[in-house]
C-alpha cells in the first residue's frame, strides 16, 4: 500500500498555491516539493522517521 493510501495525504489541485509551507512545517520532514507539487516520501511507520499525524501541513 502506498503512502497516499496509508496517510490519506492528498493535495487539492484547485486550492494549492505552491507556497511550500506544508514542506517547511512538516514535523516528520516527510514532505518535499517536486515541480511545485508537494509529495510524501515513503516511511515505515508513523512517528519517529515518519509522519506524526500532527496535521500541521493541513493547518497551513
Ligand atoms: S501530518 Fe505532520 S508529520 Fe505528517 S505530513 Fe503533515 S506536517 Fe508532516
Amino acid at each position: 500500500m502506498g503512502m497516499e493510501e496509508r496517510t490519506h495525504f492528498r493535495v487539492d489541485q484547485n486550492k494549492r498555491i505552491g507556497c511550500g509551507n506544508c514542506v517547511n512545517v512538516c514535523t516528520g520532514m516527510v514532505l518535499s516539493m517536486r515541480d511545485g507539487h508537494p509529495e510524501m516520501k515513503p516511511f515505515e511507520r508513523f512517528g519517529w522517521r515518519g509522519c506524526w499525524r500532527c496535521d500541521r501541513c493541513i493547518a497551513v
Side-chain angles (χ1 to χ4, degrees):
M1 184 184 288
M3 281 300 122
E4 278 73 16
E5 290 96 65
R6 282 178 60 197
T7 61
H8 305 288
F9 181 78
R10 303 248 198 306
V11 178
D12 188 330
Q13 297 300 327
N14 294 317
K15 292 183 177 173
R16 73 176 186 89
I17 57 173
C19 64
N21 281 349
C22 55
V23 175
N24 293 332
V25 301
C26 179
T27 313
M29 295 192 286
V30 293
L31 302 180
S32 61
M33 295 293 273
R34 182 201 272 185
D35 300 328
H37 180 83
E39 60 179 21
M40 181 173 276
K41 77 175 186 183
F43 57 86
E44 291 289 310
R45 59 184 70 82
F46 290 98
W48 295 109
R49 298 194 198 90
C51 170
W52 285 91
R53 295 194 262 210
C54 63
D55 288 349
R56 290 176 69 181
C57 52
I58 298 169
V60 297

